[in-house]
Amino acid sequence: MEANELNADLHCHSDVSDGTLTPEGVAARAHANGVQLWSLTDHDEIGGQHRARRAALELGMPFLSGVEISVTFLGKTVHIVGLGFDIDDAGLRQGLAATRGGRGQRAREMAQALAEVGIEGAYEGALKYVGNPELVSRTHFARYLVEAGVCANTPEVFRHYLADGKPGFVPHRWAALGDALRWIKGAGGMAVIAHPGRYGFSPIEEHAFFTEFKEHGGEGVEVVTGSHRPEEYGKYADMALEYGLYASRGSDFHSPDESHTDLGTLPRLPAKLIPAWELLAERVHTP
Ligand code: AMP
Ligand code: MN
Ligand code: MN
Ligand code: MN
């Protein structure tokens, strides 16, 4: 089999961050959907990695460690995926703990901002959906606002309340790009730009982002992701080649009820790209 034909899903979430399934539940669903190489990439948290690895190996599914780190770059939030690192690396754990640290205060400020537009009790409401007290996310607020009848679904909540510039949005300073890359690489992992089509950068900003990412030792970019529209696969395939980056693929699955892309169901990587798993072959845990 050509390496690009592998059904790899290297981006998804469990209830250790803002997904709704347990790490074991995500593993079972990935396996049932035919995933042949799996990574769980919870936001700013690797507390689910040992469970995920155990579940994957019990199912006979090869596993790569994973994380999705929140980074502030040019005033915007971008996400950097780390793959194939040492799960027990102290530097990575400390960096992620520091990054998570601001989330509690931010959540209270978000609730206050929502109260000012007439939505009361959002902090307590969001907490009902939180699986990890250190990882209160906008996603948990979105779930509560749907429950409260404010919006019909979570994308609508983001459009009206939680996206940058909307009433419930609280600006937040995440990790610096160089720090995130240092943590990932210091733990022996590979850094990958997550869903670059999502950030709304101008061409010059995007060039700066890719260039700085490479200067810090970044090696990969997501091309086929549930967070890209199919029209964007071609653009980022070309950018992977232009910048000499390995290509990655992942659903960005969060929940059976919310995610429009299920685990393991995306098109395969275009044949002209070199898949990230070529570089990571020695980091894969096999059953
Ligand atoms: P946070 O890290 O708390 O800022 O939350 C970011 C998370 O919100 C992302 O990882 C997505 O899961 C979710 N999200 C962001 N934008 C949207 C959107 N437009 N629709 C649905 N979910 C979104
Ligand atoms: Mn998320
Ligand atoms: Mn993301
Ligand atoms: Mn994600």
Side-chain angles (χ1 to χ4, degrees):
M1 187 178 70
E2 283 281 329
N4 294 37
E5 287 296 309
L6 190 78
N7 190 353
D9 194 323
L10 305 185
H11 188 149
C12 59
H13 300 271
S14 75
D15 64 0
V16 168
S17 65
D18 63 347
T20 62
L21 303 180
T22 59
E24 292 81 6
V26 185
R29 194 178 179 97
H31 181 254
N33 286 0
V35 170
Q36 295 166 299
L37 175 63
W38 176 60
S39 182
L40 176 71
T41 54
D42 276 310
H43 297 284
D44 305 320
E45 171 69 276
I46 54 176
Q49 291 296 305
H50 283 289
R51 287 170 63 190
R53 180 172 67 189
R54 195 177 319 123
L57 298 186
E58 276 173 17
L59 290 161
M61 181 169 62
F63 175 81
L64 273 171
S65 58
V67 67
E68 181 175 22
I69 305 181
S70 311
V71 163
T72 300
F73 185 80
L74 293 177
K76 287 200 163 102
T77 299
V78 300
H79 288 166
I80 302 295
V81 163
L83 296 171
F85 49 80
D86 170 7
I87 296 173
D88 299 310
D89 183 81
L92 175 60
R93 287 190 171 266
Q94 281 160 19
L96 294 176
T99 295
R100 288 195 299 274
R103 281 186 178 266
Q105 178 64 26
R106 171 196 188 227
R108 282 185 286 274
E109 288 174 24
M110 284 176 61
Q112 205 169 350
L114 288 167
E116 281 165 22
V117 294
I119 301 165
E120 300 290 341
Y123 182 66
E124 295 72 18
L127 281 187
K128 289 192 293 178
Y129 293 90
V130 168
N132 172 357
E134 283 189 21
L135 215 295
V136 189
S137 151
R138 282 184 290 162
T139 313
H140 302 115
F141 281 87
R143 290 186 185 129
Y144 172 65
L145 264 59
V146 172
E147 176 202 314
V150 176
C151 290
N153 52 55
T154 52
E156 194 181 315
V157 179
F158 275 89
R159 274 200 301 281
H160 294 296
Y161 292 99
L162 301 182
D164 192 350
K166 298 300 172 182
F169 182 80
V170 172
H172 192 74
R173 184 127 203 113
W174 302 104
L177 184 60
D179 287 338
L181 275 275
R182 213 160 29 74
W183 301 334
I184 293 167
K185 293 183 66 75
M190 169 189 195
V192 176
I193 294 175
H195 45 59
R198 276 250 305 260
Y199 305 131
F201 283 138
S202 70
I204 287 172
E205 290 169 332
E206 194 167 62
H207 173 72
F209 179 37
F210 275 61
T211 303
E212 277 201 38
F213 173 75
K214 282 213 62 161
E215 282 169 3
H216 287 297
E219 292 170 305
V221 59
E222 288 183 349
V223 172
V224 176
T225 142
S227 290
H228 280 169
R229 288 173 280 115
E231 310 87 86
E232 290 169 317
Y233 301 163
K235 170 178 175 184
Y236 289 103
D238 289 344
M239 287 194 57
L241 292 175
E242 183 186 341
Y243 287 87
L245 294 167
Y246 291 85
S248 192
R249 171 181 187 265
S251 57
D252 209 356
F253 177 82
H254 282 69
S255 162
D257 304 321
E258 296 165 10
S259 296
H260 54 90
T261 305
D262 205 342
L263 290 150
T265 62
L266 286 169
R268 301 299 198 268
L269 281 180
K272 63 183 176 182
L273 302 179
I274 305 174
W277 45 95
E278 295 257 293
L279 188 63
L280 290 164
E282 285 175 9
R283 312 292 307 185
V284 174
H285 297 267
T286 46

